[in-house]
Amino acid sequence: GDSVTQMEGPVTLSEEAFLTINCTYTATGYPSLFWYVQYPGEGLQLLLKATKADDKGSNKGFEATYRKETTSFHLEKGSVQVSDSAVYFCALSGGGYNKLIFGAGTRLAVHP
Amino acid sequence: EAQVTQNPRYLITVTGKKLTVTCSQNMNHEYMSWYRQDPGLGLRQIYYSMNVEVTDKGDVPEGYKVSRKEKRNFPLILESPSPNQTSLYFCASSFKEPGFNTEAFFGQGTRLTVV
């Protein structure tokens, strides 16, 4: 079945460092891809999305490009802040199943 | 403000004591679902509802029930909770079932502990 694999965390960075969180997927057809963020004590919020190959989603300085050839949707940010500390989930949807399929989540901790 | 509201946020209960976690959305969404979040497993779908009186099982439905009598509400019922249902639960809603370009909105979560 369809699935999402994320790099394991936690990821610990200093402020202003470059961030990459890897995400790869397995899917039949052409899914939509999402990154959700979960700040401490809160629910999940949509961070960015891409709906077709080569689309780039971006928001709050984060970017991810839908790469069909490598089945990847890696999350990047050029300069992280302490306020970016959260858990990040890669997810996909589509293909006729009635749910989002999530990766295991990657915890990011950013220190001053 | 558009939101999904879950109650309670935290709950500690004993094995076998029936409980209900409520979920309400104010966006007139047709699709609602419940997920549980466990370390290393991400979020897994428990049940979903395509509309009023239309519900179906997700990936991990055992031990749970749901109902959808009104469009805005989608309660999760644990008839006889067991310790393996200790988890963080999220309710989510969207205009239609997750698919092309469909954004899901999540509640703040309910942390349930069954002792």
Side-chain angles (χ1 to χ4, degrees), chain A residues 12-105:
Chain A
T12 302
L13 295 173
S14 298
E15 209 165 22
E16 299 184 2
F18 185 85
L19 168 70
T20 300
I21 300 178
N22 291 335
C23 170
T24 57
Y25 67 91
T26 302
T28 53
Y30 304 96
S32 295
L33 300 174
F34 306 86
W35 277 101
Y36 279 84
V37 58
Q38 183 182 23
Y39 297 106
E42 298 185 13
L44 280 74
Q45 305 173 23
L46 180 64
L47 180 60
L48 53 84
K49 63 184 178 184
T51 56
K52 62 182 187 297
D54 300 325
D55 265 4
K56 178 185 283 188
S58 62
N59 187 25
K60 299 181 181 180
F62 291 89
E63 293 183 340
T65 301
Y66 189 144
R67 301 284 189 203
K68 192 170 185 300
E69 64 276 12
T70 55
T71 62
S72 65
F73 193 54
H74 304 322
L75 183 68
E76 297 182 336
K77 187 175 186 183
S79 176
V80 294
Q81 305 300 312
V82 172
S83 57
D84 294 326
S85 299
V87 181
Y88 292 82
F89 290 93
C90 186
L92 66 80
S93 71
Y97 38 83
N98 297 309
K99 63 182 177 183
L100 287 161
I101 296 176
F102 286 91

Side-chain angles (χ1 to χ4, degrees), chain B residues 30 32 48-56 66-75:
Chain B
E30 291 189 350
M32 298 184 74
Y48 65 93
S49 170
M50 302 282 278
N51 213 324
V52 175
E53 302 291 2
V54 181
T55 64
D56 207 346
V66 293
S67 68
R68 187 91 181 273
K69 292 183 170 55
E70 305 167 281
K71 198 171 188 178
R72 63 184 295 126
N73 296 324
F74 190 46

